[in-house]
Amino acid sequence: MPGVLIAMLPAWVIAFRSTFGTVSDFLSPCAGYLVERFGAFKALAVTEGLEGVLCLVVALVPTGWSQCKWLLPTVACLLLVTGQVSDVAS
C-alpha cells in the first residue's frame, strides 16, 4: 500500500492543485467581501483560529475512521480558502 501511495500521489496532487487552484481563484472576491464586512483584524484573527482548529481536527481524528480519506483533501481546501482571507486581511 505505501508503494502505491508514493507512486500515485504526485499525479493526484498535480491534478488536484490545478483544478482546485482555478476554483479558488474565483473565491478571491468572497475573501475580499469577508474582510470588508468584518474588518481586517477580526477576519485575520478568526481565520488564524480556524486554521488552528482544522489542524487539530486532523491530529485528533482516529485513523480507523472510514471517512478519514476525505478529511485531508477537505481540510486542505478549507486551509486554502482561509489562507486567501488571511492574505487579503494582511
Side-chain angles (χ1 to χ4, degrees), residues 29-76:
C30 296
Y33 171 77
L34 290 173
V35 172
E36 182 182 351
R37 173 93 169 102
F38 297 108
F41 181 76
K42 187 173 183 179
L44 187 60
V46 169
T47 54
E48 291 293 330
L50 184 60
E51 287 175 353
V53 169
L54 290 172
C55 291
L56 284 176
V57 165
V58 173
L60 297 176
V61 169
T63 55
W65 188 44
S66 63
Q67 301 300 325
C68 189
K69 63 183 176 184
W70 295 108
L71 181 66
L72 290 178
T74 303
V75 169

Tab-separated table of all heavy atoms in Angstrom, residues 29-76:
chain	number	residue	atom	x	y	z
A	29	PRO	N	-12.833	37.133	-4.600
A	29	PRO	CA	-13.778	38.201	-4.262
A	29	PRO	C	-14.550	37.919	-2.972
A	29	PRO	O	-14.867	38.848	-2.233
A	29	PRO	CB	-14.721	38.244	-5.465
A	29	PRO	CG	-13.940	37.687	-6.590
A	29	PRO	CD	-13.059	36.652	-5.971
A	30	CYS	N	-14.827	36.648	-2.695
A	30	CYS	CA	-15.503	36.301	-1.437
A	30	CYS	C	-14.618	36.637	-0.245
A	30	CYS	O	-15.094	37.143	0.765
A	30	CYS	CB	-15.861	34.817	-1.410
A	30	CYS	SG	-17.042	34.344	-2.674
A	31	ALA	N	-13.333	36.359	-0.381
A	31	ALA	CA	-12.402	36.694	0.697
A	31	ALA	C	-12.360	38.206	0.904
A	31	ALA	O	-12.365	38.688	2.045
A	31	ALA	CB	-11.011	36.149	0.384
A	32	GLY	N	-12.332	38.961	-0.188
A	32	GLY	CA	-12.354	40.421	-0.078
A	32	GLY	C	-13.622	40.931	0.577
A	32	GLY	O	-13.588	41.856	1.385
A	33	TYR	N	-14.746	40.306	0.255
A	33	TYR	CA	-16.017	40.707	0.854
A	33	TYR	C	-16.007	40.450	2.361
A	33	TYR	O	-16.457	41.288	3.143
A	33	TYR	CB	-17.173	39.950	0.200
A	33	TYR	CG	-18.481	40.147	0.918
A	33	TYR	CD1	-19.209	41.317	0.780
A	33	TYR	CD2	-18.979	39.158	1.776
A	33	TYR	CE1	-20.396	41.508	1.461
A	33	TYR	CE2	-20.165	39.348	2.458
A	33	TYR	CZ	-20.879	40.510	2.302
A	33	TYR	OH	-22.039	40.680	2.997
A	34	LEU	N	-15.502	39.279	2.769
A	34	LEU	CA	-15.466	38.962	4.198
A	34	LEU	C	-14.591	39.941	4.968
A	34	LEU	O	-14.949	40.371	6.066
A	34	LEU	CB	-14.967	37.526	4.405
A	34	LEU	CG	-15.924	36.430	3.973
A	34	LEU	CD1	-15.243	35.064	4.077
A	34	LEU	CD2	-17.188	36.452	4.809
A	35	VAL	N	-13.452	40.288	4.395
A	35	VAL	CA	-12.568	41.244	5.073
A	35	VAL	C	-13.219	42.619	5.144
A	35	VAL	O	-13.138	43.303	6.159
A	35	VAL	CB	-11.198	41.301	4.362
A	35	VAL	CG1	-10.335	42.415	4.914
A	35	VAL	CG2	-10.478	39.965	4.510
A	36	GLU	N	-13.880	43.024	4.069
A	36	GLU	CA	-14.565	44.322	4.080
A	36	GLU	C	-15.708	44.330	5.084
A	36	GLU	O	-15.950	45.316	5.774
A	36	GLU	CB	-15.088	44.630	2.688
A	36	GLU	CG	-15.769	45.971	2.584
A	36	GLU	CD	-16.329	46.230	1.194
A	36	GLU	OE1	-16.057	45.454	0.279
A	36	GLU	OE2	-17.065	47.220	1.059
A	37	ARG	N	-16.406	43.224	5.180
A	37	ARG	CA	-17.588	43.136	6.050
A	37	ARG	C	-17.217	43.135	7.525
A	37	ARG	O	-17.849	43.792	8.335
A	37	ARG	CB	-18.363	41.862	5.702
A	37	ARG	CG	-19.502	41.522	6.592
A	37	ARG	CD	-20.804	42.095	6.047
A	37	ARG	NE	-21.919	41.546	6.770
A	37	ARG	CZ	-22.573	42.200	7.713
A	37	ARG	NH1	-22.225	43.416	8.026
A	37	ARG	NH2	-23.591	41.663	8.326
A	38	PHE	N	-16.186	42.359	7.890
A	38	PHE	CA	-15.854	42.180	9.300
A	38	PHE	C	-14.631	42.966	9.753
A	38	PHE	O	-14.346	43.017	10.946
A	38	PHE	CB	-15.626	40.690	9.600
A	38	PHE	CG	-16.851	39.862	9.381
A	38	PHE	CD1	-16.934	38.999	8.301
A	38	PHE	CD2	-17.930	39.947	10.236
A	38	PHE	CE1	-18.076	38.234	8.087
A	38	PHE	CE2	-19.068	39.194	10.031
A	38	PHE	CZ	-19.137	38.335	8.948
A	39	GLY	N	-13.895	43.541	8.855
A	39	GLY	CA	-12.684	44.263	9.215
A	39	GLY	C	-11.468	43.356	9.132
A	39	GLY	O	-11.569	42.143	9.328
A	40	ALA	N	-10.324	43.963	8.851
A	40	ALA	CA	-9.112	43.175	8.616
A	40	ALA	C	-8.659	42.426	9.859
A	40	ALA	O	-8.318	41.244	9.799
A	40	ALA	CB	-8.001	44.082	8.103
A	41	PHE	N	-8.673	43.094	11.016
A	41	PHE	CA	-8.160	42.447	12.226
A	41	PHE	C	-9.037	41.272	12.639
A	41	PHE	O	-8.541	40.187	12.944
A	41	PHE	CB	-8.058	43.458	13.373
A	41	PHE	CG	-7.517	42.846	14.624
A	41	PHE	CD1	-6.168	42.574	14.748
A	41	PHE	CD2	-8.362	42.531	15.676
A	41	PHE	CE1	-5.665	41.997	15.901
A	41	PHE	CE2	-7.874	41.951	16.833
A	41	PHE	CZ	-6.523	41.687	16.953
A	42	LYS	N	-10.351	41.487	12.645
A	42	LYS	CA	-11.266	40.415	13.051
A	42	LYS	C	-11.212	39.246	12.062
A	42	LYS	O	-11.194	38.091	12.470
A	42	LYS	CB	-12.693	40.945	13.162
A	42	LYS	CG	-13.661	39.948	13.734
A	42	LYS	CD	-15.012	40.578	13.971
A	42	LYS	CE	-15.962	39.584	14.616
A	42	LYS	NZ	-17.268	40.179	14.876
A	43	ALA	N	-11.168	39.529	10.762
A	43	ALA	CA	-11.094	38.468	9.764
A	43	ALA	C	-9.795	37.682	9.903
A	43	ALA	O	-9.794	36.448	9.820
A	43	ALA	CB	-11.210	39.055	8.361
A	44	LEU	N	-8.703	38.384	10.140
A	44	LEU	CA	-7.418	37.714	10.308
A	44	LEU	C	-7.396	36.855	11.563
A	44	LEU	O	-6.933	35.705	11.537
A	44	LEU	CB	-6.297	38.753	10.341
A	44	LEU	CG	-4.874	38.236	10.345
A	44	LEU	CD1	-4.601	37.408	9.096
A	44	LEU	CD2	-3.887	39.384	10.439
A	45	ALA	N	-7.916	37.377	12.661
A	45	ALA	CA	-7.939	36.615	13.908
A	45	ALA	C	-8.810	35.372	13.792
A	45	ALA	O	-8.425	34.292	14.250
A	45	ALA	CB	-8.437	37.508	15.049
A	46	VAL	N	-9.964	35.489	13.167
A	46	VAL	CA	-10.868	34.347	13.030
A	46	VAL	C	-10.265	33.286	12.119
A	46	VAL	O	-10.306	32.098	12.420
A	46	VAL	CB	-12.253	34.794	12.517
A	46	VAL	CG1	-13.107	33.615	12.122
A	46	VAL	CG2	-12.957	35.616	13.584
A	47	THR	N	-9.665	33.691	11.001
A	47	THR	CA	-9.090	32.698	10.097
A	47	THR	C	-7.877	32.013	10.716
A	47	THR	O	-7.683	30.810	10.518
A	47	THR	CB	-8.692	33.313	8.741
A	47	THR	OG1	-7.836	34.428	8.955
A	47	THR	CG2	-9.897	33.740	7.971
A	48	GLU	N	-7.075	32.737	11.471
A	48	GLU	CA	-5.942	32.096	12.152
A	48	GLU	C	-6.436	31.082	13.176
A	48	GLU	O	-5.892	29.986	13.298
A	48	GLU	CB	-5.054	33.147	12.823
A	48	GLU	CG	-4.298	34.028	11.866
A	48	GLU	CD	-3.249	33.273	11.072
A	48	GLU	OE1	-2.697	32.280	11.563
A	48	GLU	OE2	-2.974	33.697	9.935
A	49	GLY	N	-7.481	31.432	13.914
A	49	GLY	CA	-8.054	30.474	14.866
A	49	GLY	C	-8.655	29.271	14.171
A	49	GLY	O	-8.494	28.132	14.619
A	50	LEU	N	-9.337	29.506	13.059
A	50	LEU	CA	-9.935	28.411	12.300
A	50	LEU	C	-8.871	27.481	11.732
A	50	LEU	O	-9.039	26.256	11.733
A	50	LEU	CB	-10.806	28.970	11.176
A	50	LEU	CG	-11.575	27.963	10.342
A	50	LEU	CD1	-12.526	27.146	11.220
A	50	LEU	CD2	-12.351	28.668	9.247
A	51	GLU	N	-7.764	28.030	11.270
A	51	GLU	CA	-6.674	27.190	10.770
A	51	GLU	C	-6.103	26.312	11.876
A	51	GLU	O	-5.791	25.148	11.656
A	51	GLU	CB	-5.582	28.057	10.156
A	51	GLU	CG	-5.982	28.651	8.830
A	51	GLU	CD	-4.957	29.614	8.272
A	51	GLU	OE1	-3.973	29.928	8.976
A	51	GLU	OE2	-5.141	30.039	7.124
A	52	GLY	N	-5.978	26.853	13.076
A	52	GLY	CA	-5.510	26.045	14.198
A	52	GLY	C	-6.466	24.917	14.536
A	52	GLY	O	-6.045	23.786	14.797
A	53	VAL	N	-7.764	25.209	14.504
A	53	VAL	CA	-8.771	24.170	14.784
A	53	VAL	C	-8.730	23.081	13.714
A	53	VAL	O	-8.797	21.890	14.028
A	53	VAL	CB	-10.178	24.799	14.880
A	53	VAL	CG1	-11.261	23.730	14.894
A	53	VAL	CG2	-10.275	25.663	16.116
A	54	LEU	N	-8.588	23.468	12.449
A	54	LEU	CA	-8.531	22.482	11.376
A	54	LEU	C	-7.321	21.565	11.514
A	54	LEU	O	-7.407	20.367	11.273
A	54	LEU	CB	-8.512	23.183	10.018
A	54	LEU	CG	-9.805	23.874	9.607
A	54	LEU	CD1	-9.592	24.682	8.338
A	54	LEU	CD2	-10.924	22.873	9.424
A	55	CYS	N	-6.189	22.129	11.920
A	55	CYS	CA	-5.002	21.301	12.125
A	55	CYS	C	-5.196	20.345	13.294
A	55	CYS	O	-4.739	19.199	13.259
A	55	CYS	CB	-3.783	22.179	12.344
A	55	CYS	SG	-3.286	23.090	10.871
A	56	LEU	N	-5.870	20.792	14.338
A	56	LEU	CA	-6.149	19.907	15.467
A	56	LEU	C	-7.127	18.797	15.096
A	56	LEU	O	-7.010	17.676	15.584
A	56	LEU	CB	-6.712	20.709	16.645
A	56	LEU	CG	-5.706	21.521	17.434
A	56	LEU	CD1	-6.421	22.339	18.502
A	56	LEU	CD2	-4.671	20.625	18.073
A	57	VAL	N	-8.082	19.100	14.233
A	57	VAL	CA	-9.039	18.085	13.789
A	57	VAL	C	-8.312	16.931	13.124
A	57	VAL	O	-8.589	15.762	13.378
A	57	VAL	CB	-10.095	18.707	12.838
A	57	VAL	CG1	-10.860	17.641	12.085
A	57	VAL	CG2	-11.045	19.585	13.614
A	58	VAL	N	-7.357	17.249	12.268
A	58	VAL	CA	-6.591	16.205	11.589
A	58	VAL	C	-5.822	15.361	12.599
A	58	VAL	O	-5.732	14.138	12.483
A	58	VAL	CB	-5.639	16.825	10.549
A	58	VAL	CG1	-4.714	15.781	9.960
A	58	VAL	CG2	-6.441	17.494	9.450
A	59	ALA	N	-5.269	16.001	13.609
A	59	ALA	CA	-4.478	15.274	14.602
A	59	ALA	C	-5.345	14.406	15.510
A	59	ALA	O	-4.899	13.365	15.983
A	59	ALA	CB	-3.672	16.259	15.445
A	60	LEU	N	-6.589	14.809	15.754
A	60	LEU	CA	-7.424	14.104	16.720
A	60	LEU	C	-8.337	13.034	16.120
A	60	LEU	O	-8.904	12.236	16.858
A	60	LEU	CB	-8.280	15.115	17.498
A	60	LEU	CG	-7.497	16.111	18.347
A	60	LEU	CD1	-8.441	17.109	18.990
A	60	LEU	CD2	-6.675	15.395	19.403
A	61	VAL	N	-8.484	13.005	14.802
A	61	VAL	CA	-9.363	12.012	14.176
A	61	VAL	C	-8.676	10.658	14.200
A	61	VAL	O	-7.509	10.538	13.811
A	61	VAL	CB	-9.705	12.426	12.728
A	61	VAL	CG1	-10.383	11.305	11.979
A	61	VAL	CG2	-10.574	13.646	12.745
A	62	PRO	N	-9.369	9.617	14.660
A	62	PRO	CA	-8.756	8.284	14.666
A	62	PRO	C	-8.504	7.781	13.247
A	62	PRO	O	-9.292	8.034	12.335
A	62	PRO	CB	-9.799	7.412	15.380
A	62	PRO	CG	-11.066	8.176	15.338
A	62	PRO	CD	-10.715	9.620	15.185
A	63	THR	N	-7.404	7.068	13.063
A	63	THR	CA	-7.033	6.616	11.723
A	63	THR	C	-7.953	5.513	11.211
A	63	THR	O	-8.031	5.291	10.012
A	63	THR	CB	-5.589	6.102	11.701
A	63	THR	OG1	-5.451	5.091	12.700
A	63	THR	CG2	-4.615	7.231	11.956
A	64	GLY	N	-8.676	4.833	12.071
A	64	GLY	CA	-9.579	3.787	11.636
A	64	GLY	C	-10.922	4.293	11.152
A	64	GLY	O	-11.754	3.521	10.693
A	65	TRP	N	-11.140	5.578	11.215
A	65	TRP	CA	-12.404	6.171	10.788
A	65	TRP	C	-12.544	6.009	9.285
A	65	TRP	O	-11.641	6.319	8.516
A	65	TRP	CB	-12.441	7.628	11.200
A	65	TRP	CG	-13.744	8.314	11.000
A	65	TRP	CD1	-14.970	7.831	11.305
A	65	TRP	CD2	-13.948	9.620	10.455
A	65	TRP	NE1	-15.934	8.756	10.991
A	65	TRP	CE2	-15.335	9.860	10.460
A	65	TRP	CE3	-13.102	10.592	9.974
A	65	TRP	CZ2	-15.878	11.039	9.999
A	65	TRP	CZ3	-13.652	11.772	9.519
A	65	TRP	CH2	-15.029	11.988	9.535
A	66	SER	N	-13.684	5.544	8.827
A	66	SER	CA	-13.853	5.222	7.415
A	66	SER	C	-13.835	6.451	6.507
A	66	SER	O	-13.479	6.352	5.341
A	66	SER	CB	-15.155	4.442	7.202
A	66	SER	OG	-16.260	5.243	7.560
A	67	GLN	N	-14.193	7.604	6.993
A	67	GLN	CA	-14.208	8.821	6.180
A	67	GLN	C	-12.894	9.594	6.265
A	67	GLN	O	-12.805	10.713	5.764
A	67	GLN	CB	-15.369	9.725	6.610
A	67	GLN	CG	-16.722	9.082	6.487
A	67	GLN	CD	-17.032	8.673	5.052
A	67	GLN	OE1	-16.644	9.340	4.114
A	67	GLN	NE2	-17.745	7.575	4.891
A	68	CYS	N	-11.883	9.009	6.876
A	68	CYS	CA	-10.610	9.704	7.070
A	68	CYS	C	-9.946	10.057	5.743
A	68	CYS	O	-9.262	11.058	5.640
A	68	CYS	CB	-9.678	8.844	7.910
A	68	CYS	SG	-8.195	9.689	8.441
A	69	LYS	N	-10.167	9.254	4.698
A	69	LYS	CA	-9.527	9.537	3.410
A	69	LYS	C	-10.024	10.841	2.793
A	69	LYS	O	-9.323	11.453	2.004
A	69	LYS	CB	-9.746	8.381	2.444
A	69	LYS	CG	-11.191	8.146	2.101
A	69	LYS	CD	-11.348	6.950	1.192
A	69	LYS	CE	-12.822	6.691	0.945
A	69	LYS	NZ	-13.032	5.503	0.151
A	70	TRP	N	-11.217	11.286	3.140
A	70	TRP	CA	-11.752	12.544	2.615
A	70	TRP	C	-11.428	13.726	3.512
A	70	TRP	O	-11.626	14.868	3.134
A	70	TRP	CB	-13.266	12.445	2.433
A	70	TRP	CG	-13.629	11.449	1.399
A	70	TRP	CD1	-14.196	10.228	1.606
A	70	TRP	CD2	-13.421	11.552	-0.002
A	70	TRP	NE1	-14.360	9.573	0.423
A	70	TRP	CE2	-13.897	10.374	-0.587
A	70	TRP	CE3	-12.889	12.529	-0.826
A	70	TRP	CZ2	-13.835	10.146	-1.956
A	70	TRP	CZ3	-12.829	12.304	-2.186
A	70	TRP	CH2	-13.305	11.127	-2.726
A	71	LEU	N	-10.928	13.444	4.706
A	71	LEU	CA	-10.656	14.523	5.656
A	71	LEU	C	-9.508	15.416	5.193
A	71	LEU	O	-9.621	16.637	5.230
A	71	LEU	CB	-10.355	13.944	7.037
A	71	LEU	CG	-10.067	14.964	8.127
A	71	LEU	CD1	-11.311	15.784	8.415
A	71	LEU	CD2	-9.591	14.276	9.378
A	72	LEU	N	-8.410	14.828	4.750
A	72	LEU	CA	-7.252	15.632	4.361
A	72	LEU	C	-7.530	16.533	3.152
A	72	LEU	O	-7.182	17.716	3.188
A	72	LEU	CB	-6.040	14.736	4.112
A	72	LEU	CG	-5.459	14.101	5.370
A	72	LEU	CD1	-4.294	13.195	5.007
A	72	LEU	CD2	-5.028	15.141	6.373
A	73	PRO	N	-8.158	16.035	2.065
A	73	PRO	CA	-8.476	16.969	0.974
A	73	PRO	C	-9.435	18.075	1.400
A	73	PRO	O	-9.300	19.225	0.979
A	73	PRO	CB	-9.112	16.080	-0.099
A	73	PRO	CG	-8.632	14.720	0.189
A	73	PRO	CD	-8.439	14.660	1.663
A	74	THR	N	-10.389	17.733	2.264
A	74	THR	CA	-11.341	18.747	2.731
A	74	THR	C	-10.637	19.811	3.557
A	74	THR	O	-10.860	21.007	3.360
A	74	THR	CB	-12.454	18.079	3.561
A	74	THR	OG1	-13.080	17.074	2.772
A	74	THR	CG2	-13.470	19.085	4.030
A	75	VAL	N	-9.768	19.373	4.460
A	75	VAL	CA	-9.030	20.335	5.289
A	75	VAL	C	-8.097	21.166	4.421
A	75	VAL	O	-7.943	22.371	4.641
A	75	VAL	CB	-8.274	19.598	6.418
A	75	VAL	CG1	-7.295	20.512	7.111
A	75	VAL	CG2	-9.260	19.042	7.422
A	76	ALA	N	-7.479	20.556	3.412
A	76	ALA	CA	-6.599	21.310	2.514
A	76	ALA	C	-7.366	22.395	1.780
A	76	ALA	O	-6.881	23.524	1.632
A	76	ALA	CB	-5.929	20.355	1.523
